[in-house]
Amino acid sequence: MLAMASTHPGRLRRAFLLAMGLFAGLSGPATFAKEKRRESLQIYFVDVEGGQATLFVSPSGQSMLVDTGWPGFDGRDAKRIVAVARTAGVKKIDYVVVTHYHTDHVGGVPALAKRIKIGTFVDHGPNREDSDVTRKDFAAYQNVVVHAKRMVVKPGDIIPVEGITVNLLTAAGEHVSTRVAGTEAENGLCASEPEPPEDATENARSLGILVTYGIFRLLDLGDLTKKKELDLACPKNLIGTVDLLVVSHHGSNQSSTQALVHAVHARVAVMDNGARKGGSPEVWQTVHDSPGLEDLWQLHTSVEGGAEHNPPEAYIANPGEGAEDHGYGINVVANWDGTFTVVNTRNGKEKTYQK
Ligand SMILES: [Zn+2]
């Protein structure tokens, strides 16, 4: 008791939250203290085993979830998202953004809608992929959305999350035609970029968003593939630079052209790969070599990446596979002045990046 009384309350809270994170596997430490919530943007990369589910909680208290992970596994991904939402103090997700209609992004919608209140679904409109599996996933999504509010968006639109700015850069295969930021100069990386193949899948129709809070900027292009990336990066980079890059497509080598990745000049990248999904050595190298990059954090060790193409284990939320995979996440607290802190909920490792 004496020891506790003499301990700084903040330290106690930190120890408590850290312990919660370690036991629940999903929450984060001190930086998520209540007082901080009011003045920072929180971002939670939920582990959905190689799919995407990223929860943004604005300082206003409004929330936006980008994608919902997979269906099945007894609602595993929906349960993980709801657990993280609870940790963040979110009782209702104001916007659920569905980047595209592939299973690892839209599949969790029915299970999620049963477990938490959802304000508005945001998507790019009808499915345009000619495949049975995607038609089936889109139909399951429609069955939920028909009873909910829905917003179909196009490039140039804004998702009106109070307290942050969410710009739509791409949707349904289209892209913004004018510069959101950056310079008038041509992107010198375009000339050496190989011509990418056409992509007739839903990946190429991904919603791509730029999230801004103060001078902090985050880019998340869903599973956008190379040809569409180049629409944003060449001949001029329409995006400008960002602080945090969500590595597209879980690190699959169908995405992440050097012309885009290096041009956006991210300080930190987060890859939502699975142990055996995404995490390609080629993409890892492109991101790793990006000018100005300080660190790459990953949800999983990439088996394909081996010793050469993974970050140090401290930067990986889930180094093991199967029974060794406990579904830990990566959390970010971003401030108005552009500084941000990244936290690995497995080991409590946190690092602050100054502007
Ligand atoms: Zn995906």
Side-chain angles (χ1 to χ4, degrees), residues 50-52 67 70 99-100 102 104-105 203 222-223 249-250 277:
Q52 185 172 0
D67 291 326
W70 304 85
T99 59
H100 63 296
H102 280 166
D104 56 325
H105 297 258
N203 290 330
D223 285 0
H249 207 171
H250 328 288
K277 187 163 177 297

Side-chain angles (χ1 to χ4, degrees), residues 28-305:
T31 34
F32 290 82
K34 215 171 190 173
E35 54 274 21
K36 282 275 180 200
R37 286 182 187 157
R38 287 189 221 108
E39 62 197 44
S40 55
L41 163 65
Q42 302 164 67
I43 306 156
Y44 299 81
F45 293 88
V46 183
D47 179 26
V48 289
E49 309 295 340
Q52 185 172 0
T54 315
L55 180 68
F56 294 78
V57 185
S58 164
S60 69
Q62 283 210 331
S63 56
M64 171 178 79
L65 176 70
V66 177
D67 291 326
T68 61
W70 304 85
F73 309 104
D74 191 28
R76 178 197 66 198
D77 292 354
K79 286 177 188 170
R80 288 182 179 181
I81 293 164
V82 170
V84 168
R86 287 210 181 104
T87 300
V90 169
K91 293 193 177 72
K92 171 190 170 192
I93 301 174
D94 295 287
Y95 297 92
V96 170
V97 177
V98 174
T99 59
H100 63 296
Y101 303 122
H102 280 166
T103 318
D104 56 325
H105 297 258
V106 74
V109 165
L112 186 70
K114 279 185 201 149
R115 287 175 170 82
I116 193 164
K117 261 193 196 167
I118 294 170
T120 304
F121 287 93
V122 181
D123 63 59
H124 71 61
N127 165 49
R128 311 230 204 114
E129 182 178 301
D130 185 15
S131 75
D132 287 340
V133 62
T134 306
R135 273 190 284 271
K136 188 169 154 265
D137 289 328
F138 181 62
Y141 171 62
Q142 274 192 307
N143 284 342
V144 175
V145 168
V146 77
H147 304 293
K149 275 194 212 160
R150 180 185 183 190
M151 197 178 146
V152 175
V153 290
K154 57 183 189 313
D157 287 351
I158 279 176
I159 303 172
V161 184
E162 285 171 22
I164 58 175
T165 304
V166 184
N167 292 98
L168 262 303
L169 303 178
T170 59
E174 304 295 324
H175 61 95
V176 285
S177 50
T178 52
R179 214 155 39 86
V180 178
T183 66
E184 266 301 325
E186 300 228 328
N187 179 355
L189 300 162
C190 297
S192 56
E193 190 67 53
E195 179 68 26
E198 292 288 341
D199 176 11
T201 73
E202 267 289 304
N203 290 330
R205 284 134 197 166
S206 286
L207 295 186
I209 58 171
L210 179 70
V211 177
T212 308
Y213 173 57
I215 56 169
F216 172 83
R217 304 174 95 228
L218 172 148
L219 181 65
D220 181 351
L221 298 176
D223 285 0
L224 199 72
T225 36
K226 287 182 173 176
K227 199 168 174 61
K228 298 295 180 184
E229 285 182 1
L230 295 186
D231 289 341
L232 293 172
C234 295
K236 290 173 187 171
N237 165 18
L238 301 176
I239 304 164
T241 59
V242 301
D243 300 287
L244 200 155
L245 172 70
V246 181
V247 178
S248 296
H249 207 171
H250 328 288
S252 150
N253 63 4
Q254 296 171 324
S255 305
S256 290
T257 52
Q258 187 176 305
L260 180 126
V261 172
H262 289 200
V264 299
H265 213 273
R267 296 151 65 197
V268 169
V270 177
M271 188 189 282
D272 49 12
N273 62 314
R276 295 173 189 272
K277 187 163 177 297
S280 102
E282 187 189 339
V283 169
W284 193 92
Q285 200 65 50
T286 301
V287 174
H288 176 267
D289 296 346
S290 177
L293 191 94
E294 293 180 49
D295 289 308
L296 166 59
W297 298 68
Q298 291 178 193
L299 281 183
H300 286 264
T301 300
S302 163
V303 173
E304 191 189 351

